Amino acid sequence: VCQERGWKEYISESDSNWNLWWRTSGFPVSHYRSLYEWQYINHIPKGASICRKDNLVRYLRCMKNVYGSIYDFSPHGYNLPLEYTKLAAECSRGRPLSGRDDNQRLFEDKPIWICKPVAQSQGRGIFLFRKLSELNYDTNTIVQRYIEKPLLIGGYKFDLRLYVCVPSYHPVTIYMYREGLARFGTDKFSLNDLRNPFRHLTNYSINKLGPGYTEMKERVGSGCKWTLRQLRKYFRQAGILDWLLWQRITSLVILTVLSNVNQIPPTVNCFEFFGFDVLIDSSLRPWLLEVNLSPALSNDCDADCLVKKPMLHDMFDLLGLPLERDLRTSKLSLQNTVSVVNAAGRWRRKHKKISGSPVSRFDSGVRSKNRTPSVTNEKTFMNLPKVQVDGTTLNPPMYIQGTRPVDEYRKTDCKTWGNGRDWNYASAKEGRWVRIWPMAIDVLHKTSDCNNTAHVKSMVTKVIKFTKTAKELARKHPAASEVQLSEFLQEEMQLTGDVWIPPV
């Protein structure tokens, strides 16, 4: 995708003329202090907290204690070893007796639990158990109630991988991509066999190794991925009304991000890209399984290609990261741009960090011109090629559009690599990225107000109203089309953007 946009991999260690640093893990605090105004990184300080399973359980539990049942979208869980005694007490209680004597309780009546190491990914270390004696762990772990009645297609379990971009926490701005993936297990679901991961885990990294991966499965076909478009086509064929489901998922995503918002310091030139894993049960209720910090971007099948490539292009457009041809446009239309020489001179005078403003404790410190972070296998540097215009060399950070009049350029500083985006006035959509928060542009607050408990409460209240309104509309208008229901919801909630729903 980066190559298609005309970018080049940056491999030099001698200077700091890179534009985008994409890294699978988080960045040290020092990296945020030393950003120049033309540099972008793909993580926000402390934004990855919700991606650790133990943190997520704790945050959602705290929010549920404050705001009630609106946060009841994650299976009840325990952080081990800290909460082992609580888990033991819960396991001893088991299910309600339903009129039978405890001595006659069947083994199958005991609740099923799922154990997940907090710092692992791709399904590693996950297993199911019924009896506490079967629990064995050697690292920090979470144990959650297992969703025993998932929605099945052709007898196979599946979950959803949804893509979420948070370009700003101050103000809170959340986008969700319309397209996504449905990921299937490759053996038919059954509670009689808890040791078979191909029945219970939907991670692609596991199921691509399963014996049923290449065979033609009932209703699902071969492989283990669908796009959301394919899933919705199946829902329509099966007569499943799914409009309310997608609105519940919208609320789930917003509320999850809000659970961590008070911890995020004001920053610039960074964004977060999450992968939300959501399970749908047999009653069409969505459950949040986990949040992934660096969702897989591999291109392993047709579904990946259909979803991920356009998603990344649209996300870079959303963030304001230019194409190479945008630079070359300035060479062909100088009459519509400010003098390149003057612009380059302004850029040199502005050769300082954009994060020098006093809004954050991360904005302190001065960066040495010769200091460059060490190169590791975890990062990728991208930069634009230098462009010659009338004998003047524009460095990669120089980004001049050829669509604004000269006078406007003279009145404002030249914006480079998305830094001109004002998230107080976030666009309703970009490509298939749809803004799900703020729901209306008039709810936006200044940056100084966003790290405030009262403000978070008002946002949660808005989401509660959104969820209740969607439920009421679905109940009142059972025969209405999803377009009509979305219009009703926009009118009731006074939404200034689109209602998020996957394509058909």
Side-chain angles (χ1 to χ4, degrees), residues 128-146:
L128 279 63
F129 66 95
R130 291 182 187 271
K131 297 187 298 182
L132 194 61
S133 60
E134 298 172 340
L135 174 60
N136 183 23
Y137 62 96
D138 56 5
T139 184
N140 287 350
T141 299
I142 66 164
V143 171
Q144 291 178 296
R145 279 289 186 98
Y146 185 63

Side-chain angles (χ1 to χ4, degrees), residues 77-120:
Y78 298 92
N79 288 325
L80 303 184
L82 183 64
E83 297 176 328
Y84 179 85
T85 55
K86 294 181 180 179
L87 172 64
E90 180 72 16
C91 288
S92 65
R93 286 194 294 269
R95 298 183 194 271
L97 294 181
S98 302
R100 282 185 292 179
D101 186 85
D102 189 46
N103 294 327
Q104 298 176 344
R105 181 191 300 275
L106 297 176
F107 177 73
E108 289 76 12
D109 284 337
K110 292 183 177 296
I112 299 175
W113 301 87
I114 184 168
C115 178
K116 305 176 185 178
V118 300
Q120 295 286 353

Side-chain angles (χ1 to χ4, degrees), residues 418-430:
N419 296 331
R421 295 298 170 101
D422 184 355
W423 299 112
N424 284 291
Y425 304 96
S427 60
K429 61 182 178 180
E430 179 68 51

Side-chain angles (χ1 to χ4, degrees), residues 243-263:
W243 179 83
L244 180 58
L245 167 67
W246 306 116
Q247 307 320 307
R248 286 174 167 169
I249 289 176
T250 298
S251 300
L252 176 154
V253 170
I254 298 171
L255 292 169
T256 302
V257 174
L258 292 183
S259 69
N260 187 40
V261 69
N262 271 339
Q263 300 187 45

Side-chain angles (χ1 to χ4, degrees), residues 222-336:
S222 61
C224 61
K225 286 184 185 179
W226 280 2
T227 64
L228 292 187
R229 184 187 294 273
Q230 290 175 286
L231 179 65
R232 297 208 65 209
K233 183 179 180 181
Y234 166 80
F235 282 167
R236 289 199 166 189
Q237 293 173 348
I240 297 175
L241 301 178
D242 59 343
W243 179 83
L244 180 58
L245 167 67
W246 306 116
Q247 307 320 307
R248 286 174 167 169
I249 289 176
T250 298
S251 300
L252 176 154
V253 170
I254 298 171
L255 292 169
T256 302
V257 174
L258 292 183
S259 69
N260 187 40
V261 69
N262 271 339
Q263 300 187 45
I264 310 299
T267 48
V268 291
N269 287 38
C270 49
F271 62 96
E272 280 292 357
F273 171 54
F274 296 120
F276 275 65
D277 292 346
V278 176
L279 178 72
I280 305 171
D281 68 14
S282 57
S283 62
L284 290 187
R285 179 179 178 181
W287 295 88
L288 177 65
L289 301 182
E290 63 183 37
V291 182
N292 295 272
L293 174 64
S294 296
L297 295 175
S298 56
N299 189 17
D300 297 320
C301 61
D302 291 340
D304 286 335
C305 186
L306 289 172
V307 173
K308 295 177 183 178
K309 289 190 70 174
M311 185 245 332
L312 286 171
H313 275 298
D314 288 346
M315 184 173 69
F316 290 144
D317 290 340
L318 171 68
L319 297 169
L321 310 186
L323 296 167
E324 177 188 2
R325 64 172 175 265
D326 293 324
L327 278 173
R328 299 193 183 280
T329 301
S330 64
K331 181 177 180 179
L332 302 175
S333 56
L334 291 178
Q335 67 274 15
N336 293 327

Side-chain angles (χ1 to χ4, degrees), residues 49-104:
S49 296
I50 59 174
C51 300
R52 270 186 62 104
K53 300 178 183 69
D54 51 349
N55 287 340
L56 183 62
V57 167
R58 186 169 65 254
Y59 294 162
L60 296 182
R61 183 189 302 162
C62 291
M63 296 296 279
K64 183 178 178 180
N65 291 338
V66 175
Y67 299 108
S69 61
I70 189 64
Y71 270 91
D72 192 18
F73 53 75
S74 180
H76 185 60
Y78 298 92
N79 288 325
L80 303 184
L82 183 64
E83 297 176 328
Y84 179 85
T85 55
K86 294 181 180 179
L87 172 64
E90 180 72 16
C91 288
S92 65
R93 286 194 294 269
R95 298 183 194 271
L97 294 181
S98 302
R100 282 185 292 179
D101 186 85
D102 189 46
N103 294 327
Q104 298 176 344

